[in-house]
Amino acid sequence: LREFVAGRLPEYMVPAVVMVVESFALTPNGKVDRGALPVPEFRAAEAYRAPVTERELVLHEVFAEVLGQPRIGVDDSFFDLGGDSIIAVQVASGAHRAGLAIAVKDVFVHKTIAKLAEAAEDVGERAATPRAGSLVRIDAEELDELEAQWGTAL
């Protein structure tokens, strides 16, 4: 079913899991009681491939921590394992703390540990290379406020 839907919808609209449920519990207002729904079972890819490179090992640790799954193959899709946009932010943050620079967008584009490991940069490399659009514009009032806060003239 996921393959059928994936052929007709944008990737971000394809559900990570499709489950059959006998009936839906309703709230007193007649809406679906989300708390009564079964917990989805996220599954990894069929063939498990363990992390090998240093970057894969680092990213595996981060994925395992934020997804709460100890055995994740480097070819398993972040979204098939239950990842979402909030968890993608946690992955990017955890990778940065571990010394790898990846953006949240990278998690959406590359999806697997193997592909993210190839796209990742060391934090030092990324810090030395500013990205386009990384500057913030401030007006004179904001500048005055910053100068007052830090006790210096910028």
Side-chain angles (χ1 to χ4, degrees):
L1 182 59
R2 286 188 74 235
E3 289 176 20
F4 174 80
V5 172
R8 288 158 177 73
L9 294 174
E11 189 172 354
Y12 70 90
M13 294 180 75
V14 177
V17 175
V18 177
M19 295 177 57
V20 176
V21 208
E22 294 298 321
S23 63
F24 293 102
L26 302 177
T27 65
N29 295 333
K31 296 181 179 179
V32 173
D33 182 358
R34 292 179 177 217
L37 292 173
V39 176
E41 296 176 23
F42 297 105
R43 295 190 195 115
E46 301 287 325
Y48 173 79
R49 190 164 66 94
V52 177
T53 68
E54 183 63 32
R55 286 183 177 180
E56 287 177 351
L57 290 165
V58 167
L59 288 169
H60 177 271
E61 244 180 72
V62 173
F63 269 53
E65 180 184 332
V66 300
L67 293 169
Q69 297 185 28
R71 188 173 188 261
I72 298 174
V74 295
D75 299 315
D76 296 339
S77 170
F78 172 75
F79 297 101
D80 289 347
L81 296 168
D84 58 29
S85 58
I86 301 299
I87 297 174
V89 172
Q90 294 173 344
V91 166
S93 175
H96 190 271
R97 282 192 307 273
L100 293 178
I102 60 170
V104 175
K105 175 184 164 188
D106 295 332
V107 179
F108 282 85
V109 171
H110 301 292
K111 297 178 190 76
T112 67
I113 291 171
K115 290 179 182 172
L116 274 169
E118 292 174 8
E121 299 174 18
D122 291 332
V123 171
E125 290 175 15
R126 188 171 200 175
T129 311
R131 294 174 61 159
S134 62
L135 300 178
V136 177
R137 293 188 186 276
I138 61 172
D139 59 24
E141 185 178 324
E142 291 169 317
L143 179 60
D144 292 341
E145 185 178 322
L146 287 171
E147 289 174 340
Q149 180 180 355
W150 294 101
T152 185
L154 298 177

